[in-house]
Amino acid sequence: MTNLKIGKINILKIIKEVKFGLYLDGGEEYGEILLPKRYVPENYKIRDSVEVFVYFDSTDHIIATTEKPYACVGDFAYLRVVSVNSIGAFLDWGLTKDLFIPYREQVKVKLEKGKFYPVYIYFDRISRKIAGSTRIIKYINNEPINYKPNEEVDLFIYAETEIGFQAIINKKHEGLLYKNEIFQPLELGQNIKGYIKKIRNDERIDLCLEKQGYEKVVGLAKIILNKLQKEGGHLNLTDKSSPETIYDIFNISKKNYKKAVSALYKQRLITIDKTGISLTKKAKH
């Protein structure tokens, strides 16, 4: 039985060939689904399985394509408006048919042609259409929060404020990355790994891009030791080295770098002087 999902990538079987393409098995609910000739794979056989994206074409007929959209139903994406008319806006999501966003799903101001916006993609089972929405808050924070500090999560950066970047956590909740704790460039629409820093009493979630605590320090210490060994036992990094320099070398903040260096120094694995840090004889053996 085919468990077909509209607006997502599906693995469907080829059931027959016609002049204008192939028909795929869409199951009892959707029946035969056309894969147009321009998307037909080479050296196919009847009953072979193909990976396709299933959606509705410009005439609202269900159709399959081997093209991949920038995002699927249930995803958040940062998309560009290609046109606007009396019923809504149309955004480029990587397919021939643009993604429609009706006015009722637009926040406050109308979308403008040429600009990028954070969008949630959904499938309306009543109208049987795939559409988008910029009403981000409507589609998040609707489930209980059960994260733990230091838990790794997937983040989608969707807005910037004076104090930081707002991110969507695991497609379910909203959190905040504070600017004074970010030591790498971030862009709107970026997908990135992050960590739960703290859940406040009001259930607002603070995020960070680096794991916190002793476990993190141990991991960073090993990275620093490996780097020292590769560089002949010495690095020209001091207390006066900039956060940017440290991030370029280790992809970590200066704060966590100093914690890891302190741990190595206490274990007598490195020495520290005005020129930088060096491996001790103990660390070399």
Side-chain angles (χ1 to χ4, degrees):
M1 182 177 180
T2 303
N3 185 24
L4 186 142
K5 295 181 179 178
I6 300 295
K8 291 182 176 290
I9 303 297
N10 294 265
I11 306 296
L12 302 181
K13 285 187 177 181
I14 300 170
I15 54 178
K16 68 180 179 183
E17 178 184 6
V18 292
K19 289 183 179 180
F20 41 86
L22 301 174
Y23 275 111
L24 311 179
D25 183 8
E28 294 181 7
E29 183 176 1
Y30 295 103
E32 297 178 347
I33 298 176
L34 176 66
L35 177 65
K37 191 172 184 177
R38 63 182 178 276
Y39 303 125
V40 171
E42 294 181 1
N43 304 319
Y44 68 87
K45 296 178 181 178
I46 302 300
R47 305 306 296 172
D48 278 354
S49 294
V50 291
E51 184 178 78
V52 293
F53 180 77
V54 179
Y55 71 121
F56 294 93
D57 64 14
S58 56
T59 60
D60 291 329
H61 287 99
I62 192 169
I63 198 167
T65 176
T66 52
E67 291 182 332
K68 301 293 176 62
Y70 302 142
C72 297
V73 166
D75 292 339
F76 293 90
Y78 200 58
L79 303 177
R80 180 176 60 87
V81 177
V82 293
S83 65
V84 179
N85 63 21
S86 60
I87 59 173
F90 296 85
L91 283 68
D92 175 18
W93 65 321
L95 299 180
T96 303
K97 181 186 179 183
D98 297 323
L99 181 70
F100 175 59
I101 299 186
Y103 280 126
R104 68 175 181 277
E105 289 293 337
Q106 297 180 30
V107 177
K108 297 179 182 178
V109 297
K110 296 179 181 179
L111 304 188
E112 297 181 35
K113 182 178 178 179
K115 291 188 176 182
F116 284 80
Y117 297 88
V119 173
Y120 177 76
I121 302 173
Y122 66 94
F123 174 51
D124 187 337
R125 298 194 70 87
I126 297 176
S127 65
R128 292 168 67 89
K129 291 184 179 181
I130 298 172
S133 174
T134 58
R135 298 175 64 188
I136 300 299
I137 301 303
K138 175 181 175 181
Y139 296 96
I140 57 176
N141 303 328
N142 297 318
E143 297 183 21
I145 294 174
N146 57 4
Y147 304 110
K148 297 178 181 179
N150 262 343
E151 179 178 344
E152 185 179 77
V153 290
D154 294 317
L155 303 178
F156 172 74
I157 309 300
Y158 82 95
E160 183 177 2
T161 69
E162 291 183 359
I163 60 174
F165 289 88
Q166 291 173 289
I168 296 170
I169 307 164
N170 291 349
K171 302 181 184 180
K172 296 179 180 179
H173 300 97
E174 180 185 27
L176 181 65
L177 289 160
Y178 290 94
K179 282 185 177 178
N180 62 356
E181 298 177 357
I182 299 172
F183 300 94
Q184 67 184 84
L186 291 181
E187 297 179 354
L188 297 183
Q190 185 175 353
N191 289 287
I192 191 171
K193 293 288 185 181
Y195 298 90
I196 301 296
K197 181 180 180 182
K198 181 174 67 176
I199 299 174
R200 302 187 222 167
N201 292 334
D202 59 2
E203 293 198 330
R204 292 177 183 266
I205 303 173
D206 291 342
L207 301 166
C208 55
L209 296 179
E210 296 178 339
K211 204 165 190 177
Q212 307 295 300
Y214 182 72
E215 181 183 348
K216 173 68 176 181
V217 172
V218 171
L220 294 180
K222 290 180 180 178
I223 292 173
I224 292 171
L225 283 177
N226 289 336
K227 183 67 174 177
L228 278 165
Q229 290 168 352
K230 289 180 180 179
E231 297 297 325
H234 181 79
L235 286 173
N236 296 319
L237 290 175
T238 68
D239 283 343
K240 294 182 180 180
S241 297
S242 69
E244 291 77 16
T245 298
I246 292 170
Y247 183 83
D248 286 343
I249 296 173
F250 294 110
N251 287 333
I252 60 175
S253 66
K254 185 172 182 177
K255 178 181 177 181
N256 282 328
Y257 168 78
K258 291 174 70 174
K259 286 182 180 179
V261 166
S262 177
L264 291 171
Y265 180 76
K266 289 177 181 178
Q267 296 175 63
R268 298 183 181 180
L269 295 175
I270 64 169
T271 58
I272 303 173
D273 58 34
K274 293 181 180 180
T275 66
I277 60 174
S278 302
L279 288 174
T280 63
K281 290 183 179 180
K282 177 182 178 181
K284 292 179 180 178
H285 294 292

